[in-house]
Amino acid sequence: MTGGTRPSPIAWLVAPAALLFVLFFVVPFGVMAMMSFYSGNPVTNPNAFATTRHYERFIFDTAGIFHDALWSTLRIGLVTTVVALLIGYPLAHWMARMQSRLGHALVLMAVIAPMLTGIVVRTFAWMTILQDKGVINTLLIQWGLIEKPLPLMYNEFGTVVALVHIYVPFMVLTLTGVIGRIDERLEQAARSLGAGRFRAFVEVTLPLSLPGILAGSLLVFALSISAYVTPSLMGGTNVLTLPMLIAQQVGTSFNPNFAGALGVILLLVSLVIVVAYNRILARLSGEQGMA
Amino acid sequence: MVARNTISRRQALRTGAGLAAIAAIGAPSILHAQTRTLKITTWGGKWGEVMKGTVLPAFEKEFKCTVSADQAFPFVPKLQASPKNDPIYDVLHTNSNEQWNSFTEGLVMEKITAKEVPNVADVYPWAASDKIVGVAIFTSAIGLGFRTDKGLTKPTSWKDLADPKLAGARGGYIIPVNSLGQCHLMMLGKVYGKGLTDLDAAYKALEALKPIKLVDFTGQMEKMLLSGEVSMGVIHDSGVYRYEGPNMQPVDFASPSEGVMALEQVLNVTPGSKVKDLAFGYIDYMLRPDVQKMLAEAVWYSPANKKVKLDAKYDEKLLTTPAKVATLIQPDWKWYNARKEDIDARVTKILKG
């Protein structure tokens, strides 16, 4: 008689990642979600009681800023993702089809190079370019093309520009791997059967690269909606996102319970968008459960 | 016959491991019994340099303890997250508004009196007034900083910030996150309305200040004034006066006739501190005239201790006499904090777009 079934070696290899996920996501998120249903910290404050008031505060939004902040967060995330995809896809396609190893290595280095610099530094670099007395406005005024500085910063435009620059490498690296695995002969076969370059791309390469588009988009979307530093610096007072509100609730209003509720709401809304996006792409590609 | 008392390698290893375990378990408590640790919060920058370079080493030597100083914001959320009976800090150093928040949650004591801290007997009334929880050790005056090279006359009133000539060249703060911004909002209520608590008048006056450049921290306001990005802005006196001497810049500070708001540096003790005597000793030490003088002259803060004699150039500009101290207006942070959520929402809507 043998004992119980032994866990497979793969399970042991996955265990550290699973442990990390549980310790650094499931547990903190669980604590945050629990806190969002209390009036205070139930561990340190014996008078804390269970309540749904933080969610009611968000839903009824008598202050008139929370719904705007959520919409602004999602809008910035979606626009950043679309622009990063439009910039990243051609670059990734070019890299994946590049014959020269040296050329591929050089382009790869160029894509990765900005990631070696901190987000704060890159954001400050954009500030020196886009602010009223920045490089662009100063040059345009000097050349007599404009009289007043263009509003390039302290708005959603400047925020998206900086976020796209920061997150395009994530899109490119994700797409390059997927496009590189698509058999070029499929495209050649389509062309030998009379399809033009564009039609072969649209009907063969693009559908086969949908898993990469999905993965890259989800990555960039998740990073964009949770960004704090860049919207704070580039958006000024004209941009208010949920991560900024959450930081404000924790750091200056000392209300971690409402911050927790905002975190849960952001996660739930994002999950709904991600699931919907996954289904639409799966339907478009004729596959189910791509991700 | 004498038995041979030999020790095998295994026995030696076992004994060694046992001793090591006892040492490992016992050593920290033995060390703890000898050297106690005081956990405090403190600022960075020039203040932090003087504290870490001079003040804290001298305190450690005199009180035979070690001081663990946290300079990483935000302090109050960290205190909130730690157990009340074993708090992360023994002494909390923040501005007054955060002390009031902490007191409301039972994280710090209400008052520090001369009974616990003898030097409290020598402080100006503002430092231990009913507007303060804990005890204030310094204050700055919040007024108007301005460029002296832009042809501006020295402002005499808070209303001067609304001068149309300053459109887009005036500076303020993101009110929800900055206590100077919150003070400015209350002052707008006093100047344009019935008093510090007249929020409707304050909101209207704030709207009229647009376009205004807003920042999170006073350090950013200093940079904006120094770079000429703004010509006039709300700032505390030490943020301007520190650019004197070899650091001289074309900026100056003005105390408006309606009064200056107090930006107090407050110390307080956590009720669950295990080293309360040391915590009180630290506050007493920080209120000593020699320590007060050293820090006041390093960062241009007005000392709380009446017995401090500053050098002439500091004495001339800082709040060191009862007459000068009388110009200080202390905000009612208990009142403000109770309404902060509503105020934050309202000013966010006013200043957005």
Side-chain angles (χ1 to χ4, degrees):
Chain A
M1 184 180 161
T2 56
T5 50
R6 281 182 163 184
S8 78
I10 296 295
W12 287 111
L13 291 172
V14 171
L19 188 68
L20 215 64
F21 179 71
V22 170
L23 279 180
F24 295 104
F25 180 74
V26 177
V27 173
F29 182 78
V31 171
M32 186 183 80
M34 189 200 70
M35 287 274 286
S36 71
F37 286 101
Y38 274 90
S39 61
N41 185 345
V43 180
T44 58
N45 181 1
N47 298 322
F49 55 89
T51 177
T52 55
R53 73 178 183 202
H54 304 300
Y55 290 94
E56 287 164 19
R57 187 177 166 199
F58 180 86
I59 291 164
F60 297 115
D61 192 17
T62 49
I65 58 170
F66 303 132
H67 294 173
D68 276 357
L70 176 63
W71 174 230
S72 180
T73 309
L74 297 176
R75 192 169 55 234
I76 287 172
L78 288 170
V79 175
T80 302
T81 306
V82 170
V83 177
L85 181 61
L86 291 175
I87 293 172
Y89 195 98
L91 187 57
H93 191 276
W94 182 52
M95 282 174 67
R97 296 285 184 253
M98 197 174 275
Q99 301 298 322
S100 161
R101 282 191 171 185
L102 179 66
H104 186 273
L106 288 173
V107 178
L108 187 64
M109 276 173 65
V111 170
I112 293 174
M115 293 172 76
L116 302 175
T117 316
I119 285 178
V120 177
V121 176
R122 275 182 281 172
T123 305
F124 270 107
W126 275 110
M127 289 172 79
T128 61
I129 294 169
L130 299 180
Q131 65 190 356
D132 284 2
K133 291 186 178 177
V135 177
I136 293 176
N137 276 320
T138 307
L139 281 176
L140 291 176
I141 290 171
Q142 274 180 3
W143 292 341
L145 296 174
I146 53 172
E147 287 180 357
K148 282 183 177 177
L150 296 173
L152 302 175
M153 219 182 92
Y154 298 129
N155 50 31
E156 284 190 13
F157 171 78
T159 306
V160 168
V161 167
L163 284 176
V164 166
H165 172 239
I166 290 166
Y167 296 136
V168 152
F170 293 91
M171 183 69 86
V172 172
L173 294 175
T174 311
L175 281 168
T176 307
V178 174
I179 298 172
R181 283 198 298 275
I182 298 172
D183 193 340
E184 268 187 272
R185 288 172 300 181
L186 293 171
E187 211 171 309
Q188 288 162 0
R191 293 193 65 190
S192 69
L193 290 170
R197 287 185 77 145
F198 180 71
R199 192 171 171 194
F201 169 76
V202 171
E203 294 195 6
V204 178
T205 312
L206 189 62
L208 289 172
S209 62
L210 278 178
I213 293 175
L214 178 70
S217 302
L218 292 184
L219 193 60
V220 172
F221 179 71
L223 291 168
S224 304
I225 60 166
S226 57
Y228 169 69
V229 173
T230 306
S232 299
L233 293 173
M234 297 299 294
T237 49
N238 292 325
V239 173
L240 182 67
T241 63
L242 275 193
M244 290 162 77
L245 262 180
I246 290 169
Q248 199 173 300
Q249 287 300 320
V250 174
T252 59
S253 292
F254 312 121
N255 190 350
N257 305 81
F258 185 52
L262 292 176
V264 171
I265 288 163
L266 180 60
L267 185 75
L268 289 178
V269 173
S270 308
L271 278 178
V272 168
I273 290 174
V274 164
V275 169
Y277 186 67
N278 187 15
R279 288 201 172 179
I280 291 167
L281 278 191
R283 195 165 291 170
L284 282 175
S285 67
E287 296 172 26
Q288 292 299 319
M290 279 191 327
Chain B
M1 185 179 160
V2 179
R4 288 183 65 191
N5 197 9
T6 54
I7 299 173
S8 68
R9 190 171 62 95
R10 186 169 291 180
Q11 280 174 316
L13 283 172
R14 198 179 292 157
T15 310
L19 286 172
I22 291 165
I25 295 164
S29 56
I30 293 164
L31 280 175
H32 186 72
Q34 289 170 341
T35 310
R36 296 189 298 166
T37 299
L38 181 73
K39 295 166 288 181
I40 64 164
T41 64
T42 194
W43 304 136
K46 179 73 177 169
W47 170 277
E49 278 174 33
V50 179
M51 287 294 284
K52 291 206 163 175
T54 313
V55 177
L56 294 180
F59 176 80
E60 287 174 328
K61 195 175 171 190
E62 185 177 329
F63 285 77
K64 295 181 177 54
C65 67
T66 56
V67 178
S68 166
D70 185 3
Q71 294 182 325
F73 293 121
F75 302 135
V76 179
K78 290 191 225 174
L79 190 57
Q80 275 180 315
S82 69
K84 278 185 182 168
N85 58 1
D86 188 17
I88 188 170
Y89 308 123
D90 300 300
V91 178
L92 181 71
H93 175 178
T94 64
N95 293 136
S96 197
N97 56 337
E98 297 192 352
Q99 292 284 352
W100 273 103
N101 270 310
S102 305
F103 170 65
T104 307
E105 293 202 24
L107 302 173
V108 292
M109 293 174 62
E110 183 175 10
K111 284 284 166 199
I112 304 286
T113 65
K115 197 176 154 192
E116 298 111 359
V117 175
N119 279 326
V120 168
D122 295 329
V123 300
Y124 285 106
W126 62 261
S129 75
D130 61 352
K131 301 283 172 52
I132 295 284
V133 287
V135 63
I137 56 170
F138 291 100
T139 191
S140 301
I142 301 171
L144 294 170
F146 65 102
R147 296 280 304 189
T148 52
D149 59 348
K150 301 276 184 187
L152 298 170
T153 50
K154 187 171 183 172
T156 54
S157 164
W158 285 95
K159 288 181 179 175
D160 292 342
L161 190 63
D163 187 334
K165 280 187 295 189
L166 292 170
R170 62 175 75 95
Y173 297 90
I174 298 173
I175 292 170
V177 301
N178 188 285
S179 49
L180 277 83
Q182 293 160 16
C183 281
H184 181 217
L185 184 74
M186 286 187 265
M187 181 52 87
L188 289 176
K190 178 177 160 59
V191 173
Y192 291 95
K194 293 170 192 160
L196 293 172
T197 57
D198 189 348
L199 288 172
D200 288 335
Y203 294 143
K204 205 174 160 190
L206 187 67
E207 181 85 51
L209 286 176
K210 290 162 72 177
I212 180 170
K213 287 187 173 149
L214 301 168
V215 292
D216 297 39
F217 304 109
T218 48
Q220 287 171 280
M221 182 63 77
E222 287 172 31
K223 282 182 190 136
M224 285 213 301
L225 273 168
L226 293 177
S227 67
E229 188 84 6
V230 296
S231 301
M232 191 184 291
V234 178
I235 199 163
H236 55 128
D237 53 358
S238 63
V240 173
Y241 290 152
R242 66 183 67 170
Y243 298 102
E244 50 91 43
N247 297 325
M248 182 66 87
Q249 300 285 332
V251 290
D252 201 358
F253 178 81
S255 299
S257 58
E258 297 92 344
V260 289
M261 298 291 272
L263 180 67
E264 302 102 340
Q265 306 298 324
V266 183
L267 295 185
N268 209 338
V269 175
T270 50
S273 167
K274 305 274 195 258
V275 289
K276 263 190 189 159
D277 58 321
L278 205 53
F280 290 132
Y282 171 72
I283 296 176
D284 200 49
Y285 184 83
M286 292 295 283
L287 282 170
R288 283 184 191 174
D290 56 331
V291 176
Q292 289 256 292
K293 179 177 161 65
M294 186 198 312
L295 283 163
E297 294 182 352
V299 292
W300 290 85
Y301 280 167
S302 299
N305 193 321
K306 287 182 282 191
K307 293 184 173 173
V308 179
K309 296 282 176 234
L310 298 180
D311 291 352
K313 72 171 182 181
Y314 302 99
D315 194 44
E316 182 195 344
K317 291 186 171 177
L318 296 177
L319 306 168
T320 49
T321 63
K324 286 199 246 179
V325 161
T327 63
L328 267 181
I329 297 170
Q330 288 185 287
D332 184 348
W333 288 113
K334 190 180 178 187
W335 174 87
Y336 188 94
N337 288 344
R339 291 153 185 79
K340 187 173 183 299
E341 298 287 358
D342 292 337
I343 295 172
D344 287 354
R346 186 72 185 268
V347 296
T348 301
K349 282 174 87 172
I350 290 172
L351 295 172
K352 197 174 174 208

